[in-house]
Amino acid sequence: MSDNPSFVLKGILDVEIQPKPIPEIEADEVLVEVKKTGICGSDVHFLVHGRIGDFIVENPMVLGHEAAGVISKVGSKVTNVKVGDRVAMEPGATCRKCEVCKEGRYQLCPDVVFAATPPTDGTLARYYRLPSDLAYPLPPNLSLEDGAMMEPLSVAVHAVSKLGALRSNQSVAVFGCGPVGLLCMAVAKALGASRVIAVDIVPSRLEFAKAYAATDVFLPPAMEKDESRLAFSMRNAQAMMEKLGITERGPQAIDLVVDASGAEVSIQTGLRIAKSGGTFVQVGMGNPNVTIDMFVVICKELIVKGSFRYGPGDYPLAIALAASGKVDVRPLVSHRYARFPFTQAREAFETTRNGKSPDGKGVIKAIISGPDVDINEA
């Protein structure tokens, strides 16, 4: 075994532990010994389908991008962190020179090198290199497991705070009670939202959301035989508005709708329940080809935005929200696994893919610990 054992995707549903060279770092980079990595739906998608949209796995690739670890080595020009520091790892290095980087939207950089996005290796290895300014020191009250959760929390911060521009005393509806959806609710609550509505088709997920961050929940009705998605969405939106007392204008209107499901009917319903002049943010990825009612978008002058990863300031705000206790990420970690033996790492992906572990426990977030790391060591 090498000093850098890595969890490698060789092909569809074909993974193994392989030895990899320890990365060499540049003067402005750090080498992180990865301790905790969360499993994201995108990791599972690459495992099962070998691609996400235009990102196609053509060669073996190390999976994982939600990570935290300990600084093992620093480059000669690094001053912001030192060996031994515990850090959350922002997994996308950008060019810093293009138009979008210079205007502060580096998440749109065409030359971004993002962990576990083809052809770049991810963080499910003993060591990972990254620019030093993308290694964020963790406050003493945050664990390395918390540090790994800063990645999905930053996704939520970007969608709700930056793009959604949610303000105190506004209301928000979030479709999808997976990790990102739940964290969007938590961010909204932390920012002072007066109402946080959770929508999902799984009752147990709604129960969790209500206990975690939501003020209200809605379980959509079943689709009727031969009912089109658009017809169902109209009926679903009407039922939701009637049950929860949602109006198109006034204090009972929904200022911000976030779709974290990617489901076409959720998108269609969300556009209909948003208030006139409200904002709709799409953060979940499903079928890329969906039908929406542009008449609704136009007549309500909706602001519709796509949310892609995270940008400047999102990681620091995520860490601040967690460190202050305004967002608690720990209840979301439902399953913990070791990278060795190999069967445990594979089981982590199978659990996330199936939505539950073999014992029937529903999964929210599975965390894989690095080599020689106790899975119960937070």
Side-chain angles (χ1 to χ4, degrees):
M1 184 180 296
S2 79
D3 287 331
N4 193 30
S6 306
F7 190 81
V8 178
L9 174 65
K10 297 168 58 183
I12 292 178
L13 298 176
D14 184 8
V15 289
E16 70 177 18
I17 299 290
Q18 291 184 0
K20 289 275 189 177
I22 297 175
E24 296 292 331
I25 61 173
E26 301 294 333
D28 60 348
E29 293 181 330
V30 295
L31 186 68
V32 181
E33 186 172 357
V34 183
K35 300 294 186 180
K36 303 284 181 177
T37 295
I39 301 304
C40 175
S42 65
D43 295 311
V44 176
H45 210 85
F46 281 130
L47 173 70
V48 176
H49 302 287
R51 67 183 297 163
I52 297 177
D54 294 333
F55 299 115
I56 304 171
V57 180
E58 298 178 336
N59 296 295
M61 178 183 78
V62 179
L63 292 169
H65 63 272
E66 302 177 0
V70 176
I71 300 290
S72 176
K73 185 179 180 181
V74 300
S76 60
K77 294 183 179 179
V78 173
T79 59
N80 63 309
V81 291
K82 63 183 183 304
V83 172
D85 282 352
R86 301 156 55 257
V87 295
M89 302 159 60
E90 182 173 348
T94 55
C95 77
R96 305 166 189 254
K97 298 177 181 178
C98 69
E99 180 181 12
V100 290
C101 280
K102 288 183 176 181
E103 68 183 23
R105 303 177 74 193
Y106 64 63
Q107 69 275 16
L108 302 180
C109 176
D111 297 317
V112 62
V113 177
F114 198 90
T117 298
T120 307
D121 282 337
T123 61
L124 276 171
R126 186 188 296 274
Y127 295 106
Y128 189 82
R129 60 178 276 203
L130 78 166
S132 66
D133 61 316
L134 299 184
Y136 298 90
L138 291 170
N141 63 327
L142 292 185
S143 68
L144 285 164
E145 192 169 89
D146 296 334
M149 291 295 293
M150 292 306 100
E151 198 276 348
L153 181 54
S154 295
V155 171
V157 164
H158 189 68
V160 175
S161 177
K162 184 166 290 184
L163 297 179
L166 186 73
R167 300 192 304 272
S168 179
N169 203 40
Q170 289 189 320
S171 58
V172 58
V174 180
F175 286 76
C177 294
V180 169
L182 290 166
L183 289 169
C184 284
M185 298 173 209
V187 170
K189 181 180 179 181
L191 295 178
S194 58
R195 195 178 193 190
V196 180
I197 301 171
V199 185
D200 204 284
I201 60 173
V202 181
S204 61
R205 290 201 166 204
L206 289 175
E207 291 174 11
F208 184 93
K210 185 66 181 292
Y212 181 61
T215 60
D216 303 87
V217 297
F218 180 73
L219 179 69
M223 186 177 287
E224 296 176 352
K225 184 180 179 181
D226 298 326
E227 185 177 30
S228 71
R229 289 188 176 90
L230 276 175
F232 168 78
S233 298
M234 292 176 66
R235 182 167 63 87
N236 188 39
Q238 183 177 357
M240 183 175 174
M241 294 177 76
E242 290 177 355
K243 181 177 180 180
L244 299 180
I246 297 170
T247 58
E248 192 171 304
R249 295 174 175 83
Q252 298 303 311
I254 304 300
D255 299 283
L256 172 64
V257 175
V258 177
D259 179 65
S261 72
E264 184 175 39
V265 292
S266 294
I267 298 167
Q268 293 165 345
T269 301
L271 291 170
R272 290 186 174 278
I273 68 161
K275 79 172 188 179
S276 290
T279 300
F280 178 95
V281 175
Q282 185 64 40
V283 65
M285 181 64 190
N287 186 341
N289 300 308
V290 301
T291 299
I292 63 172
D293 190 339
M294 286 304 297
F295 183 80
V296 172
V297 175
I298 292 169
C299 289
K300 293 205 289 186
E301 279 200 2
L302 295 179
I303 301 168
V304 180
K305 297 181 178 182
S307 183
F308 188 56
R309 295 172 178 160
Y310 26 74
D314 292 330
Y315 253 79
L317 180 53
I319 292 171
L321 289 173
S324 66
K326 292 183 178 179
V327 172
D328 185 2
V329 297
R330 294 176 186 179
L332 272 61
V333 180
S334 56
H335 293 72
R336 295 175 173 87
Y337 296 90
R339 202 175 311 160
F340 299 103
F342 169 74
T343 51
Q344 274 218 18
R346 178 61 186 264
E347 185 181 336
F349 278 83
E350 288 299 321
T351 294
T352 303
R353 176 188 177 190
N354 296 329
K356 60 183 179 181
S357 48
D359 62 4
K361 180 181 178 182
V363 65
I364 299 176
K365 176 61 67 176
I367 298 282
I368 297 180
S369 294
D372 308 318
V373 179
D374 186 341
I375 64 172
N376 296 312
E377 177 188 332

PDB file of all heavy atoms in Angstrom, residues 106-135:
ATOM      1  N   TYR A 106     -16.224  33.532  -8.990  1.00  0.00           N
ATOM      2  CA  TYR A 106     -15.257  32.533  -9.436  1.00  0.00           C
ATOM      3  C   TYR A 106     -15.847  31.144  -9.626  1.00  0.00           C
ATOM      4  O   TYR A 106     -15.243  30.291 -10.285  1.00  0.00           O
ATOM      5  CB  TYR A 106     -14.033  32.490  -8.521  1.00  0.00           C
ATOM      6  CG  TYR A 106     -14.256  32.073  -7.077  1.00  0.00           C
ATOM      7  CD1 TYR A 106     -14.717  30.816  -6.734  1.00  0.00           C
ATOM      8  CD2 TYR A 106     -13.930  32.955  -6.040  1.00  0.00           C
ATOM      9  CE1 TYR A 106     -14.871  30.436  -5.411  1.00  0.00           C
ATOM     10  CE2 TYR A 106     -14.086  32.590  -4.711  1.00  0.00           C
ATOM     11  CZ  TYR A 106     -14.554  31.319  -4.403  1.00  0.00           C
ATOM     12  OH  TYR A 106     -14.704  30.941  -3.083  1.00  0.00           O
ATOM     13  N   GLN A 107     -17.035  30.894  -9.074  1.00  0.00           N
ATOM     14  CA  GLN A 107     -17.663  29.591  -9.273  1.00  0.00           C
ATOM     15  C   GLN A 107     -18.019  29.343 -10.742  1.00  0.00           C
ATOM     16  O   GLN A 107     -18.263  28.199 -11.136  1.00  0.00           O
ATOM     17  CB  GLN A 107     -18.923  29.465  -8.404  1.00  0.00           C
ATOM     18  CG  GLN A 107     -20.092  30.352  -8.798  1.00  0.00           C
ATOM     19  CD  GLN A 107     -20.023  31.744  -8.207  1.00  0.00           C
ATOM     20  OE1 GLN A 107     -18.983  32.180  -7.730  1.00  0.00           O
ATOM     21  NE2 GLN A 107     -21.146  32.450  -8.209  1.00  0.00           N
ATOM     22  N   LEU A 108     -18.015  30.410 -11.543  1.00  0.00           N
ATOM     23  CA  LEU A 108     -18.323  30.292 -12.969  1.00  0.00           C
ATOM     24  C   LEU A 108     -17.067  30.250 -13.836  1.00  0.00           C
ATOM     25  O   LEU A 108     -17.163  30.270 -15.067  1.00  0.00           O
ATOM     26  CB  LEU A 108     -19.212  31.468 -13.403  1.00  0.00           C
ATOM     27  CG  LEU A 108     -20.545  31.613 -12.650  1.00  0.00           C
ATOM     28  CD1 LEU A 108     -21.318  32.814 -13.179  1.00  0.00           C
ATOM     29  CD2 LEU A 108     -21.377  30.347 -12.758  1.00  0.00           C
ATOM     30  N   CYS A 109     -15.904  30.179 -13.219  1.00  0.00           N
ATOM     31  CA  CYS A 109     -14.642  30.139 -13.963  1.00  0.00           C
ATOM     32  C   CYS A 109     -14.622  28.942 -14.912  1.00  0.00           C
ATOM     33  O   CYS A 109     -14.859  27.806 -14.494  1.00  0.00           O
ATOM     34  CB  CYS A 109     -13.471  30.044 -12.980  1.00  0.00           C
ATOM     35  SG  CYS A 109     -11.855  29.862 -13.775  1.00  0.00           S
ATOM     36  N   PRO A 110     -14.333  29.172 -16.193  1.00  0.00           N
ATOM     37  CA  PRO A 110     -14.319  28.064 -17.150  1.00  0.00           C
ATOM     38  C   PRO A 110     -13.163  27.104 -16.947  1.00  0.00           C
ATOM     39  O   PRO A 110     -13.196  25.976 -17.452  1.00  0.00           O
ATOM     40  CB  PRO A 110     -14.218  28.772 -18.507  1.00  0.00           C
ATOM     41  CG  PRO A 110     -13.536  30.067 -18.196  1.00  0.00           C
ATOM     42  CD  PRO A 110     -14.046  30.469 -16.845  1.00  0.00           C
ATOM     43  N   ASP A 111     -12.153  27.527 -16.196  1.00  0.00           N
ATOM     44  CA  ASP A 111     -10.979  26.687 -15.995  1.00  0.00           C
ATOM     45  C   ASP A 111     -10.869  26.167 -14.563  1.00  0.00           C
ATOM     46  O   ASP A 111      -9.781  25.795 -14.113  1.00  0.00           O
ATOM     47  CB  ASP A 111      -9.711  27.475 -16.345  1.00  0.00           C
ATOM     48  CG  ASP A 111      -9.673  27.875 -17.810  1.00  0.00           C
ATOM     49  OD1 ASP A 111     -10.010  27.031 -18.663  1.00  0.00           O
ATOM     50  OD2 ASP A 111      -9.327  29.036 -18.104  1.00  0.00           O
ATOM     51  N   VAL A 112     -11.997  26.130 -13.852  1.00  0.00           N
ATOM     52  CA  VAL A 112     -11.970  25.643 -12.481  1.00  0.00           C
ATOM     53  C   VAL A 112     -11.500  24.185 -12.434  1.00  0.00           C
ATOM     54  O   VAL A 112     -11.855  23.369 -13.290  1.00  0.00           O
ATOM     55  CB  VAL A 112     -13.364  25.790 -11.824  1.00  0.00           C
ATOM     56  CG1 VAL A 112     -14.415  24.952 -12.548  1.00  0.00           C
ATOM     57  CG2 VAL A 112     -13.313  25.424 -10.345  1.00  0.00           C
ATOM     58  N   VAL A 113     -10.684  23.898 -11.444  1.00  0.00           N
ATOM     59  CA  VAL A 113     -10.231  22.526 -11.190  1.00  0.00           C
ATOM     60  C   VAL A 113     -10.955  22.082  -9.928  1.00  0.00           C
ATOM     61  O   VAL A 113     -10.615  22.490  -8.815  1.00  0.00           O
ATOM     62  CB  VAL A 113      -8.698  22.476 -11.002  1.00  0.00           C
ATOM     63  CG1 VAL A 113      -8.257  21.052 -10.661  1.00  0.00           C
ATOM     64  CG2 VAL A 113      -8.000  22.961 -12.270  1.00  0.00           C
ATOM     65  N   PHE A 114     -11.978  21.265 -10.100  1.00  0.00           N
ATOM     66  CA  PHE A 114     -12.866  20.920  -8.997  1.00  0.00           C
ATOM     67  C   PHE A 114     -12.737  19.434  -8.664  1.00  0.00           C
ATOM     68  O   PHE A 114     -12.786  18.574  -9.537  1.00  0.00           O
ATOM     69  CB  PHE A 114     -14.315  21.247  -9.367  1.00  0.00           C
ATOM     70  CG  PHE A 114     -15.233  21.334  -8.185  1.00  0.00           C
ATOM     71  CD1 PHE A 114     -15.425  22.533  -7.521  1.00  0.00           C
ATOM     72  CD2 PHE A 114     -15.903  20.217  -7.720  1.00  0.00           C
ATOM     73  CE1 PHE A 114     -16.268  22.628  -6.429  1.00  0.00           C
ATOM     74  CE2 PHE A 114     -16.750  20.285  -6.626  1.00  0.00           C
ATOM     75  CZ  PHE A 114     -16.941  21.503  -5.971  1.00  0.00           C
ATOM     76  N   ALA A 115     -12.588  19.161  -7.374  1.00  0.00           N
ATOM     77  CA  ALA A 115     -12.380  17.788  -6.915  1.00  0.00           C
ATOM     78  C   ALA A 115     -13.500  16.858  -7.374  1.00  0.00           C
ATOM     79  O   ALA A 115     -14.680  17.202  -7.266  1.00  0.00           O
ATOM     80  CB  ALA A 115     -12.283  17.756  -5.385  1.00  0.00           C
ATOM     81  N   ALA A 116     -13.118  15.705  -7.888  1.00  0.00           N
ATOM     82  CA  ALA A 116     -14.054  14.661  -8.321  1.00  0.00           C
ATOM     83  C   ALA A 116     -15.006  15.141  -9.410  1.00  0.00           C
ATOM     84  O   ALA A 116     -16.144  14.688  -9.499  1.00  0.00           O
ATOM     85  CB  ALA A 116     -14.829  14.094  -7.140  1.00  0.00           C
ATOM     86  N   THR A 117     -14.525  16.081 -10.226  1.00  0.00           N
ATOM     87  CA  THR A 117     -15.223  16.456 -11.456  1.00  0.00           C
ATOM     88  C   THR A 117     -14.247  16.179 -12.585  1.00  0.00           C
ATOM     89  O   THR A 117     -13.154  16.747 -12.603  1.00  0.00           O
ATOM     90  CB  THR A 117     -15.632  17.932 -11.450  1.00  0.00           C
ATOM     91  OG1 THR A 117     -16.552  18.164 -10.372  1.00  0.00           O
ATOM     92  CG2 THR A 117     -16.307  18.308 -12.758  1.00  0.00           C
ATOM     93  N   PRO A 118     -14.602  15.278 -13.512  1.00  0.00           N
ATOM     94  CA  PRO A 118     -13.637  14.837 -14.526  1.00  0.00           C
ATOM     95  C   PRO A 118     -12.907  16.000 -15.180  1.00  0.00           C
ATOM     96  O   PRO A 118     -13.547  17.008 -15.501  1.00  0.00           O
ATOM     97  CB  PRO A 118     -14.527  14.105 -15.543  1.00  0.00           C
ATOM     98  CG  PRO A 118     -15.725  13.677 -14.764  1.00  0.00           C
ATOM     99  CD  PRO A 118     -15.937  14.751 -13.738  1.00  0.00           C
ATOM    100  N   PRO A 119     -11.581  15.870 -15.329  1.00  0.00           N
ATOM    101  CA  PRO A 119     -10.743  14.698 -15.030  1.00  0.00           C
ATOM    102  C   PRO A 119     -10.013  14.780 -13.681  1.00  0.00           C
ATOM    103  O   PRO A 119      -9.050  14.058 -13.464  1.00  0.00           O
ATOM    104  CB  PRO A 119      -9.730  14.741 -16.176  1.00  0.00           C
ATOM    105  CG  PRO A 119      -9.499  16.224 -16.380  1.00  0.00           C
ATOM    106  CD  PRO A 119     -10.828  16.897 -16.105  1.00  0.00           C
ATOM    107  N   THR A 120     -10.456  15.656 -12.784  1.00  0.00           N
ATOM    108  CA  THR A 120      -9.712  15.931 -11.558  1.00  0.00           C
ATOM    109  C   THR A 120     -10.033  14.937 -10.460  1.00  0.00           C
ATOM    110  O   THR A 120     -11.208  14.649 -10.195  1.00  0.00           O
ATOM    111  CB  THR A 120     -10.032  17.352 -11.058  1.00  0.00           C
ATOM    112  OG1 THR A 120      -9.804  18.288 -12.121  1.00  0.00           O
ATOM    113  CG2 THR A 120      -9.175  17.708  -9.866  1.00  0.00           C
ATOM    114  N   ASP A 121      -8.994  14.423  -9.797  1.00  0.00           N
ATOM    115  CA  ASP A 121      -9.186  13.517  -8.676  1.00  0.00           C
ATOM    116  C   ASP A 121      -9.798  14.243  -7.488  1.00  0.00           C
ATOM    117  O   ASP A 121      -9.604  15.450  -7.295  1.00  0.00           O
ATOM    118  CB  ASP A 121      -7.849  12.900  -8.251  1.00  0.00           C
ATOM    119  CG  ASP A 121      -7.405  11.777  -9.166  1.00  0.00           C
ATOM    120  OD1 ASP A 121      -8.264  11.190  -9.838  1.00  0.00           O
ATOM    121  OD2 ASP A 121      -6.186  11.491  -9.209  1.00  0.00           O
ATOM    122  N   GLY A 122     -10.539  13.480  -6.665  1.00  0.00           N
ATOM    123  CA  GLY A 122     -11.198  14.042  -5.507  1.00  0.00           C
ATOM    124  C   GLY A 122     -10.460  13.795  -4.206  1.00  0.00           C
ATOM    125  O   GLY A 122      -9.268  13.464  -4.188  1.00  0.00           O
ATOM    126  N   THR A 123     -11.192  13.925  -3.110  1.00  0.00           N
ATOM    127  CA  THR A 123     -10.586  13.964  -1.777  1.00  0.00           C
ATOM    128  C   THR A 123     -10.586  12.626  -1.038  1.00  0.00           C
ATOM    129  O   THR A 123     -10.091  12.564   0.088  1.00  0.00           O
ATOM    130  CB  THR A 123     -11.329  14.991  -0.904  1.00  0.00           C
ATOM    131  OG1 THR A 123     -12.704  14.598  -0.773  1.00  0.00           O
ATOM    132  CG2 THR A 123     -11.255  16.377  -1.509  1.00  0.00           C
ATOM    133  N   LEU A 124     -11.130  11.576  -1.635  1.00  0.00           N
ATOM    134  CA  LEU A 124     -11.113  10.279  -0.961  1.00  0.00           C
ATOM    135  C   LEU A 124      -9.754   9.617  -1.140  1.00  0.00           C
ATOM    136  O   LEU A 124      -9.597   8.566  -1.763  1.00  0.00           O
ATOM    137  CB  LEU A 124     -12.241   9.378  -1.477  1.00  0.00           C
ATOM    138  CG  LEU A 124     -13.594   9.608  -0.798  1.00  0.00           C
ATOM    139  CD1 LEU A 124     -14.694   8.839  -1.512  1.00  0.00           C
ATOM    140  CD2 LEU A 124     -13.540   9.213   0.676  1.00  0.00           C
ATOM    141  N   ALA A 125      -8.772  10.288  -0.584  1.00  0.00           N
ATOM    142  CA  ALA A 125      -7.381   9.841  -0.596  1.00  0.00           C
ATOM    143  C   ALA A 125      -6.770  10.246   0.739  1.00  0.00           C
ATOM    144  O   ALA A 125      -7.374  11.006   1.501  1.00  0.00           O
ATOM    145  CB  ALA A 125      -6.619  10.485  -1.754  1.00  0.00           C
ATOM    146  N   ARG A 126      -5.582   9.764   1.024  1.00  0.00           N
ATOM    147  CA  ARG A 126      -4.946  10.187   2.270  1.00  0.00           C
ATOM    148  C   ARG A 126      -4.534  11.659   2.183  1.00  0.00           C
ATOM    149  O   ARG A 126      -4.662  12.402   3.150  1.00  0.00           O
ATOM    150  CB  ARG A 126      -3.720   9.325   2.569  1.00  0.00           C
ATOM    151  CG  ARG A 126      -3.107   9.633   3.946  1.00  0.00           C
ATOM    152  CD  ARG A 126      -1.791   8.917   4.135  1.00  0.00           C
ATOM    153  NE  ARG A 126      -1.910   7.478   4.150  1.00  0.00           N
ATOM    154  CZ  ARG A 126      -2.187   6.743   5.232  1.00  0.00           C
ATOM    155  NH1 ARG A 126      -2.414   7.346   6.384  1.00  0.00           N
ATOM    156  NH2 ARG A 126      -2.246   5.436   5.145  1.00  0.00           N
ATOM    157  N   TYR A 127      -4.055  12.086   0.999  1.00  0.00           N
ATOM    158  CA  TYR A 127      -3.572  13.454   0.838  1.00  0.00           C
ATOM    159  C   TYR A 127      -4.267  14.142  -0.335  1.00  0.00           C
ATOM    160  O   TYR A 127      -4.593  13.524  -1.344  1.00  0.00           O
ATOM    161  CB  TYR A 127      -2.063  13.467   0.588  1.00  0.00           C
ATOM    162  CG  TYR A 127      -1.242  12.962   1.743  1.00  0.00           C
ATOM    163  CD1 TYR A 127      -0.631  11.708   1.700  1.00  0.00           C
ATOM    164  CD2 TYR A 127      -1.072  13.735   2.899  1.00  0.00           C
ATOM    165  CE1 TYR A 127       0.132  11.242   2.767  1.00  0.00           C
ATOM    166  CE2 TYR A 127      -0.320  13.275   3.958  1.00  0.00           C
ATOM    167  CZ  TYR A 127       0.276  12.035   3.895  1.00  0.00           C
ATOM    168  OH  TYR A 127       1.022  11.577   4.949  1.00  0.00           O
ATOM    169  N   TYR A 128      -4.460  15.461  -0.167  1.00  0.00           N
ATOM    170  CA  TYR A 128      -5.043  16.267  -1.236  1.00  0.00           C
ATOM    171  C   TYR A 128      -4.369  17.645  -1.211  1.00  0.00           C
ATOM    172  O   TYR A 128      -4.150  18.216  -0.146  1.00  0.00           O
ATOM    173  CB  TYR A 128      -6.556  16.428  -1.041  1.00  0.00           C
ATOM    174  CG  TYR A 128      -7.250  17.067  -2.223  1.00  0.00           C
ATOM    175  CD1 TYR A 128      -7.604  16.308  -3.325  1.00  0.00           C
ATOM    176  CD2 TYR A 128      -7.545  18.429  -2.237  1.00  0.00           C
ATOM    177  CE1 TYR A 128      -8.225  16.878  -4.421  1.00  0.00           C
ATOM    178  CE2 TYR A 128      -8.166  19.016  -3.329  1.00  0.00           C
ATOM    179  CZ  TYR A 128      -8.503  18.231  -4.418  1.00  0.00           C
ATOM    180  OH  TYR A 128      -9.110  18.803  -5.508  1.00  0.00           O
ATOM    181  N   ARG A 129      -4.043  18.170  -2.379  1.00  0.00           N
ATOM    182  CA  ARG A 129      -3.396  19.487  -2.483  1.00  0.00           C
ATOM    183  C   ARG A 129      -4.426  20.520  -2.926  1.00  0.00           C
ATOM    184  O   ARG A 129      -5.333  20.227  -3.709  1.00  0.00           O
ATOM    185  CB  ARG A 129      -2.239  19.462  -3.485  1.00  0.00           C
ATOM    186  CG  ARG A 129      -2.650  19.084  -4.875  1.00  0.00           C
ATOM    187  CD  ARG A 129      -1.509  19.109  -5.863  1.00  0.00           C
ATOM    188  NE  ARG A 129      -1.274  20.458  -6.385  1.00  0.00           N
ATOM    189  CZ  ARG A 129      -0.668  20.707  -7.545  1.00  0.00           C
ATOM    190  NH1 ARG A 129      -0.227  19.704  -8.309  1.00  0.00           N
ATOM    191  NH2 ARG A 129      -0.479  21.933  -7.951  1.00  0.00           N
ATOM    192  N   LEU A 130      -4.260  21.730  -2.404  1.00  0.00           N
ATOM    193  CA  LEU A 130      -5.121  22.824  -2.849  1.00  0.00           C
ATOM    194  C   LEU A 130      -4.479  24.161  -2.495  1.00  0.00           C
ATOM    195  O   LEU A 130      -3.599  24.221  -1.620  1.00  0.00           O
ATOM    196  CB  LEU A 130      -6.521  22.708  -2.254  1.00  0.00           C
ATOM    197  CG  LEU A 130      -6.803  23.112  -0.812  1.00  0.00           C
ATOM    198  CD1 LEU A 130      -8.304  23.234  -0.592  1.00  0.00           C
ATOM    199  CD2 LEU A 130      -6.244  22.087   0.154  1.00  0.00           C
ATOM    200  N   PRO A 131      -4.894  25.253  -3.163  1.00  0.00           N
ATOM    201  CA  PRO A 131      -4.369  26.572  -2.811  1.00  0.00           C
ATOM    202  C   PRO A 131      -4.623  26.872  -1.344  1.00  0.00           C
ATOM    203  O   PRO A 131      -5.689  26.539  -0.804  1.00  0.00           O
ATOM    204  CB  PRO A 131      -5.165  27.511  -3.731  1.00  0.00           C
ATOM    205  CG  PRO A 131      -5.547  26.660  -4.898  1.00  0.00           C
ATOM    206  CD  PRO A 131      -5.812  25.300  -4.318  1.00  0.00           C
ATOM    207  N   SER A 132      -3.695  27.521  -0.704  1.00  0.00           N
ATOM    208  CA  SER A 132      -3.788  27.699   0.750  1.00  0.00           C
ATOM    209  C   SER A 132      -4.999  28.516   1.168  1.00  0.00           C
ATOM    210  O   SER A 132      -5.549  28.310   2.247  1.00  0.00           O
ATOM    211  CB  SER A 132      -2.511  28.371   1.279  1.00  0.00           C
ATOM    212  OG  SER A 132      -2.389  29.700   0.803  1.00  0.00           O
ATOM    213  N   ASP A 133      -5.445  29.460   0.314  1.00  0.00           N
ATOM    214  CA  ASP A 133      -6.593  30.276   0.695  1.00  0.00           C
ATOM    215  C   ASP A 133      -7.915  29.526   0.606  1.00  0.00           C
ATOM    216  O   ASP A 133      -8.962  30.055   1.002  1.00  0.00           O
ATOM    217  CB  ASP A 133      -6.655  31.562  -0.139  1.00  0.00           C
ATOM    218  CG  ASP A 133      -6.810  31.292  -1.620  1.00  0.00           C
ATOM    219  OD1 ASP A 133      -6.119  30.410  -2.146  1.00  0.00           O
ATOM    220  OD2 ASP A 133      -7.635  31.963  -2.263  1.00  0.00           O
ATOM    221  N   LEU A 134      -7.886  28.293   0.102  1.00  0.00           N
ATOM    222  CA  LEU A 134      -9.083  27.451   0.075  1.00  0.00           C
ATOM    223  C   LEU A 134      -9.089  26.452   1.233  1.00  0.00           C
ATOM    224  O   LEU A 134      -9.956  25.577   1.293  1.00  0.00           O
ATOM    225  CB  LEU A 134      -9.189  26.714  -1.262  1.00  0.00           C
ATOM    226  CG  LEU A 134      -9.298  27.601  -2.507  1.00  0.00           C
ATOM    227  CD1 LEU A 134      -9.487  26.749  -3.754  1.00  0.00           C
ATOM    228  CD2 LEU A 134     -10.420  28.621  -2.374  1.00  0.00           C
ATOM    229  N   ALA A 135      -8.126  26.588   2.130  1.00  0.00           N
ATOM    230  CA  ALA A 135      -8.085  25.790   3.359  1.00  0.00           C
ATOM    231  C   ALA A 135      -8.469  26.714   4.509  1.00  0.00           C
ATOM    232  O   ALA A 135      -7.715  27.629   4.863  1.00  0.00           O
ATOM    233  CB  ALA A 135      -6.693  25.206   3.574  1.00  0.00           C
TER     234      ALA A 135
END
